[in-house]
Structure formats: structure tokens, C-alpha cells
Amino acid sequence: MAGNLSVAERLDRLAPDQRAAATARPGPVLCLAPAGSGKTTTLVARIAWLIDRGTDPATITAVTFNRRAAGELAGRLAGALEPLGLGPDAVRVRTFHALGLEILRDAGATAAVADRAGLLARLFPDLDDAGLAELDTAISRLKIEHGVSAGDVESDPGAGPVAVRFAAYERALEARGALDFDDLVLGALRVLRSNAELLARWRRRCAALLVDEIQDVDRAQLELGLILVAPANQVFLVGDDDQSIYGWRLADVRRIFSLATRLPGIERHALVANYRCPRPVVERSVRLIEVNRERFAKSVRAGADGRGRLILAPDADTDHVRIGRVLDSWPADVSTQAVIARTNLELVPAAAAALERRIAFNAAGLDLPLEAPGLDAVLAAIESAEVAAPGVPLLVLISRLRAEADERLARACDLLVGWAPRFSSAVALRSAVEASRHSLAGLRTGDALLTLATTHAVKGLEFDHVVVLMDADRFPSRRALDDAREPQRALEEERRLAYVAWTRARRSLTLLYDPAAPSRFLLEAFDRRELG
């Protein structure tokens, strides 16, 4: 068992590139870790090596991007610490937000952490979900990138409507004596800069700092990391510029390129093998991502024996039918499977196909038509419209209804669009909805072998069999490109999203697309004659 290995045995099991990174000299180190290259293995080995060389574990802190990653790292690290006679909590493992909160609590702060989404919805009931999401991002941008406060806005007679809403939100937080997630990092930065004793204490606790997914940090998170490691700068940064996919969360891939100016003398190590994916998946995903200009030049090859398949699946049928065909093609065993799409809405037909086959599935965060508020009212309206206009296709009836519906019913209409094409009448549609409702309770479960998810949601995960929807205007997202301030940079981020999606596959990757309208990314990774 890897958890029982001594440090020497652990290092001996590493590939040469992993070992070189794990044992790099103390100081600033950037470990470039492509998909499937064993970054967590390398990170754990680095921590074990530091402790074996005499570093006090109380001075080591590892920071990850989210709670899921923190839990995985802590679990893996516990096995490495045991042979060293240390308990699982000997090394501090935190997310940036958890670390910020711990620093604030150490400074005496007692404020509660507010639910921003819930508070915004209460403060601004005139905004729909999309408007609330845009405001959420705008608030983070004002706070993190521009350092704007409520007072700045209130003293500015030319403040726009977004800024005014921001100021109202900030005053609501203040009235509740609360902080939001952004404030955890920003507040920690403020107290560290103003309290020399606190800063010295936390620099001792982070004398050896390790940061995972460095490509995904925002400006405040990077500044927090840099202030904690100064002036010795013993920091081990792990990440991959090709997997920077959180621009909407204010990550910027250019930060990873500028690390040399912030951390003089930084030593760069590149992991070179993808041990997860079949060889053809590695080769084509690399061919795709090499189109990007904003990236480090690197060589990535298939590790191990590279067995497995990449399947091109041209199919012009409806999403429900063609996804169903893929589900039918996968083995009926205990392998893990995933349907990956660019947006949640594109996953609705996948859920319908799974329900039809009585396949249990995990679809966290996916709103299904069966669960939509107002669905029964929409179905009744469709039935009435069909009686009044016999022979009109269901999709046309739904579109007409949506144009006249309020927000609640419009959402139900949008979700039904993925189901309607396979039914000849409103009665048949209602019958299928009622039957599927009955099945849904037992089939939608968090521990299912089949996962339906967007690319953002599967970052850091892997599956035996993966299908990715790769139609033109869906991937890359036409809306994301049209709405972008910098379309070329947005296109590169979309390409990184595709790279992440493709590299989730361990045994097979199926790329599903309309042969008449394949994604431009397929045209970049394959020859036209291969696509059919």
C-alpha cells in the first residue's frame, strides 16, 4: 500500500520527472502538471520529503482550490505522514478561503460568513438567475481586481447601476455584521498587512507553502500566498496553464506566466506524461491545446501502456437519441461513465436517455424538466395550444408559449426543449413526464456510476468512459465568445475547457458531433477526412 511507504520508497516509485519536482531545492518552484501526470502524488511526495529532511510539519501549509481537492489531498497525505510517526492533521491543508478565515479568526474577527447568492436574491428580486450571476461576478471583480468599497461608490455621482447595487449589497453585509467569501481572502490580506505580529506568526506557519491549481487563483489569492512566503519564498506551486478554465471566477492564465517576476529565481519543473488517458486521447488533446498561444511550450506524452480508445461519433440525430446510443455502447459493468457538455441545458437529453433506460445517474446542479416549477402549467398550456393548432410541432408550440410566459414558466419551457423532439403529441409528452417522475426518485443519486456534468464541474475528476458533446456553436460556446470582452482570449479558454473534458477519460473517449456542423476544435485536432 502506498500509504505505508517510507519516504525513500515513495520517492523510488516516482517517475524521474515527478521525483525531480518533489525533491527540488528549497525556494520558489513551479511544477507544471498536465492532466493525468500525477500532480497530487508529486505534491504528497514533496511534503513527505520536506519533513524527512527536517522541516517542522507545523510550518508546512498546503492550499488547494476547493474543498473537494482539499479533502482528497488530506486523505492522501495522511497515508504519507503515518510512516513518519505523524497524525493526519500534522500538516495544515486548506482552501484559500478556509485559510483566510483562519487568519481572520486568529486576528480576533468574529463576523459570520454570508451566503452571497441568497442575499443578492433577497436584495434584488427584479433580477433573474442570469442577472444575479452576472452581478455576483461583477461584485467580485469590483472587490478583488479594483479594490472598490461601498464608500467609493456612494461618493461617486456617476456610479452606474451595477456599482449602486454593489454598494447596497456591501451595506447589507455591514448591517448583518457579515463577510462573504471574497472578504475572507481580502480581509486576511488587510489584517496581515496591518499587524506585524500576526504576519510573523503566519509566515512561520507557512514557511513551506504548497499551492495546488495555481493557474486558477485570482489576484487576491495570489497576493495572500506571496505575502505569506516572503521574504524566503519557499513555495511549491503546482498547476497547468492548459487547464486554466475559471476566467469567469477572475482567474487569469497570465498570472502563471508572470510568476518569474514576482518570485525571482523560480525553478520550473515539468511533468511530461499523462498516465490517465489512452494514447490517442493524449495525442489529439495535445494537438488541440497546442493551437493556443497563451501557454508554456511543453511536451506531453502518453504514460504507461496507453491502452484504450478514442471514438469519433458523427451523429445527426436528436441529442436524446444519439446520447442514448452512446450509453448503450458502454459495458454494463462497474466502470465509471460521464456525459460531459459545455452547459447544463445540453445535459437534459442525457438525463432523459438515462431515465428511459433506468440507468442511475449523478447530476449535481442540473435542473431537470421533471423538477421545474410551473411544469404542470406549461404542459397544460401546450395541450391547449395543440388543440387550437393541430399539426404544429411541439417545439414550435413551446417556443410560442415561452415568448409569452413569465420567468418561471419560461424556465420550464427551456428545460422541456430537450425532451419534446421525440414526442408526437402533448399527451405523449405528459405521459412520458409522469412516468419519468416516478422513476427519477430512485435513479438520481450521488453515488451512481454515470455522471452528467459540465466541463467546469468535472475538473479534477476522471472516469473510465467519457462522451463529450462537440457540435459547432456549442463547444466552443457561441454565447461565451459573443459576450467576451476579448474574443480571442475567450476562444483560448474554451479550447482549454475542451482539453479538460477530453482528458477525463481513462479507457475510452467518445466525441459526439453533428457531421454537418462539427466543432472547430475537432477540425483543429483531426483531419477533415477523419471526421466523416
Side-chain angles (χ1 to χ4, degrees), residues 210-431:
L210 302 96
V211 181
D212 193 13
E213 305 286 11
I214 186 61
Q215 77 279 356
D216 290 330
V217 299
D218 63 32
R219 186 193 65 80
Q221 291 165 342
L222 179 60
E223 293 302 321
L224 179 59
L226 292 176
I227 195 174
L228 287 171
V229 299
N233 290 339
Q234 186 172 326
V235 59
F236 188 80
L237 307 170
V238 184
D240 182 14
D241 48 308
D242 290 335
Q243 296 184 76
S244 179
I245 62 173
Y246 290 106
W248 59 282
R249 289 187 184 173
L250 307 186
D252 188 330
V253 71
R254 291 173 291 190
R255 290 192 182 95
I256 199 171
F257 305 135
S258 65
L259 288 172
T261 61
R262 305 298 304 273
L263 295 166
I266 192 168
E267 185 175 308
R268 196 167 87 199
H269 289 264
L271 306 186
V272 299
N274 178 331
Y275 297 99
R276 174 192 302 148
C277 302
R279 183 179 304 279
V281 174
V282 176
E283 292 172 349
R284 297 304 177 137
S285 62
V286 168
R287 182 170 169 178
L288 171 68
I289 201 62
E290 284 179 340
V291 177
N292 274 3
R293 296 180 179 180
E294 287 189 334
R295 67 187 298 267
F296 286 117
K298 61 176 78 72
S299 175
V300 182
R301 58 175 174 79
D305 55 21
R307 288 181 296 180
R309 297 191 300 161
L310 190 160
I311 303 164
L312 292 173
D315 194 331
D317 218 323
T318 64
D319 283 348
H320 168 263
V321 172
R322 60 184 187 157
I323 291 172
R325 292 190 181 113
V326 175
L327 296 181
D328 291 338
S329 73
W330 284 337
D333 56 18
V334 293
S335 58
T336 56
Q337 306 159 349
V339 178
I340 301 176
R342 179 61 181 83
T343 67
N344 265 322
L345 193 58
E346 295 166 37
L347 293 168
V348 172
L355 285 170
E356 185 177 83
R357 290 160 176 76
R358 299 197 61 78
I359 299 173
F361 63 92
N362 174 22
L366 177 62
D367 294 327
L368 297 179
L370 304 177
E371 305 163 321
L375 177 60
D376 289 323
V378 169
L379 289 170
I382 295 172
E383 289 177 339
S384 298
E386 188 174 61
V387 170
V392 177
L394 285 181
L395 281 177
V396 175
L397 295 177
I398 294 172
S399 298
R400 291 175 181 174
L401 179 61
R402 194 207 182 286
E404 301 171 358
D406 60 23
E407 179 188 339
R408 182 176 64 95
L409 296 183
R411 177 64 173 159
C413 289
D414 289 341
L415 291 171
L416 273 177
V417 166
W419 283 45
R422 60 195 177 101
F423 299 106
S424 59
S425 70
V427 171
L429 176 60
R430 177 184 284 279
S431 178

Side-chain angles (χ1 to χ4, degrees), residues 144-162:
I144 292 174
E145 294 190 346
H146 302 296
V148 175
S149 68
D152 296 330
V153 173
E154 290 163 345
S155 63
D156 179 4
V162 171

